[in-house]
Each structure stands twice: as structure tokens, then as C-alpha cells.
């Protein structure tokens, strides 16, 4: 669930706009999926960070489907918990907002509206249509990299795709 930056008024859509004198009040929006980068961003750039925190079993399920889990589910939970803890410690040094992925996916219109307000970004005039297109799409498929989705259907997917034992292992590791 997300809004491509080209739709946000005031967002940079051409990297040339980042040159000195060219920004004119525009923002650079970055979707960084590596939580380990949080410390680097805070230390060198003083950004506004919106940190989206997802249920550990939801992340484990995504990684599992992509073939990215090379350890046990418990080890994944331990590593995921440690990485999240480090990232949250880093972002707390500057402006930040932590959002639960599940809240964003269940209420994309409301939650993105909150984000726009918190970040002082004007909503596009066709805001509702954009939210609908990218989070309630009938064109949503199974491609994990597709940006057209039915966001609500992603939230609880892990509960049916992982076994109770796998979920227990992830959570046992995460809570250590």
C-alpha cells in the first residue's frame, strides 16, 4: 500500500530538481526498505522519518514466499527483532513517526491523510482516486513487487500461509 511520489504535490519527480536553487520547497521522498539504514539517514541527513513497522510473522511470511529465509523461523524472529530495535533507537534521535503496517493497509485513506498532515504535504486534488487505485485495485495480482494492491487482503495473509508452529517460532525469537 503506497502512493508513488510522482503523485504528491511538492514532491521531487525529477532528480534535476535536487540541484542547488532548483528545489523551491519540494521534498525528496525515499522508500527505504532496509531498517539498518536508519542510523545513517539520521546521522547525516536529519530527515523526517516515517517508519512502518509490520508484524514479525507478516514479514517472515513475505520473506519465506520470496525464498529469503535462510535460517529457522526462530532465528528470523531474533534477527528481525534486533534490527527493528536498532532502527527505532536510531530514528528516535530525530523527527519520526512510527506507523503499523496493518493500520496503514486497513485504512489507507485515513492513514495517508494523517501522514500528509504530519509531514505538511498538500494532498493531491484526486487524493481519494489515487488511494483507491493503489490500495483497492481490481488489477491486484500475486506479483510481490506490484504496486496495485488490495491492501486489506495483505494484512492477515500470514495467519493462513504460515503454520501455527512457524508463527510461534517467529514470535519466540522476536520477543527474546
Amino acid at each position: 500500500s503506497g502512493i508513488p511520489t510522482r503523485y504528491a504535490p511538492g514532491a521531487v519527480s525529477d532528480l534535476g530538481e535536487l540541484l542547488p536553487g532548483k528545489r523551491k520547497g519540494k521534498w525528496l521522498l525515499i522508500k527505504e526498505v532496509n531498517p539498518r539504514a536508519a542510523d545513517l539517514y539520521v546521522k547525516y541527513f536529519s530527515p523526517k522519518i516515517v517508519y512502518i513497522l509490520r508484524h514479525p510473522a507478516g514479514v517472515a511470511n513475505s520473506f519465506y514466499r520470496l525464498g529469503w529465509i535462510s535460517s529457522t523461523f526462530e532465528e528470523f524472529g531474533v534477527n528481525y527483532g534486533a534490527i527493528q530495535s536498532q532502527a527505532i533507537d536510531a530514528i528516535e534521535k530525530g523527527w519520526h513517526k512510527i506507523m503499523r503496517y496493518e493500520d496503514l493497509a486497513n485504512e489507507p485513506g485515513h492513514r495517508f491523510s494523517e501522514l500528509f498532515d504530519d509531514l505538511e504535504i498538500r494532498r493531491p486534488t484526486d487524493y481519494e482516486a489515487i488511494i483507491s487505485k493503489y490500495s483497492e485495485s481490481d488489477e491486484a495480482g500475486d506479483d510481490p513487487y506490484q504496486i496495485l494492491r488490495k491492501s486489506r487482503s495483505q494484512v492477515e495473509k500470514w495467519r493462513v500461509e504460515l503454520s501455527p508452529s512457524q508463527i510461534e517460532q517467529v514470535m519466540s525469537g522476536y520477543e527474546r
Side-chain angles (χ1 to χ4, degrees):
S1 62
I3 300 176
T5 57
R6 68 177 176 268
Y7 289 110
V12 171
S13 58
D14 174 1
L15 292 180
E17 295 179 61
L18 293 174
L19 296 172
K22 300 284 185 179
R23 275 187 53 203
K24 298 181 183 165
K26 293 190 176 193
W27 293 62
L28 172 63
L29 302 177
I30 299 172
K31 177 185 177 186
E32 174 60 67
V33 296
N34 183 353
R36 291 182 177 119
D39 190 52
L40 176 122
Y41 284 121
V42 170
K43 185 175 181 179
Y44 293 104
F45 302 106
S46 302
K48 290 184 176 183
I49 294 182
V50 176
Y51 195 78
I52 300 174
L53 187 59
R54 189 171 183 191
H55 191 285
V59 177
N61 186 48
S62 293
F63 276 45
Y64 183 67
R65 283 185 293 123
L66 292 167
W68 293 352
I69 291 186
S70 59
S71 61
T72 66
F73 280 93
E74 185 169 2
E75 288 172 8
F76 174 86
V78 169
N79 292 331
Y80 182 72
I83 290 167
Q84 296 312 311
S85 179
Q86 291 168 358
I88 290 169
D89 287 347
I91 68 171
E92 287 179 338
K93 297 172 189 165
W95 189 102
H96 70 283
K97 178 176 179 98
I98 298 174
M99 292 190 81
R100 287 179 359 108
Y101 166 84
E102 292 78 8
D103 295 339
L104 188 60
N106 278 323
E107 301 179 290
H110 174 69
R111 299 302 177 161
F112 275 110
S113 183
E114 276 182 359
L115 282 177
F116 277 57
D117 290 344
D118 291 344
L119 295 168
E120 300 173 348
I121 298 173
R122 285 179 292 119
R123 285 174 216 45
T125 54
D126 55 348
Y127 175 77
E128 289 83 9
I130 294 168
I131 291 292
S132 179
K133 178 178 179 180
Y134 288 94
S135 63
E136 300 166 11
S137 176
D138 289 329
E139 299 173 39
D142 292 331
D143 180 355
Y145 303 105
Q146 184 170 343
I147 61 174
L148 301 177
R149 301 204 173 179
K150 286 196 179 285
S151 299
R152 287 179 187 93
S153 70
Q154 303 299 311
V155 174
E156 300 292 324
K157 210 176 197 179
W158 58 271
R159 291 188 190 274
V160 288
E161 293 184 357
L162 293 179
S163 71
S165 172
Q166 291 168 321
I167 294 168
E168 184 180 317
Q169 290 172 47
V170 171
M171 296 311 296
S172 172
Y174 182 77
E175 293 168 353
R176 274 207 238 161

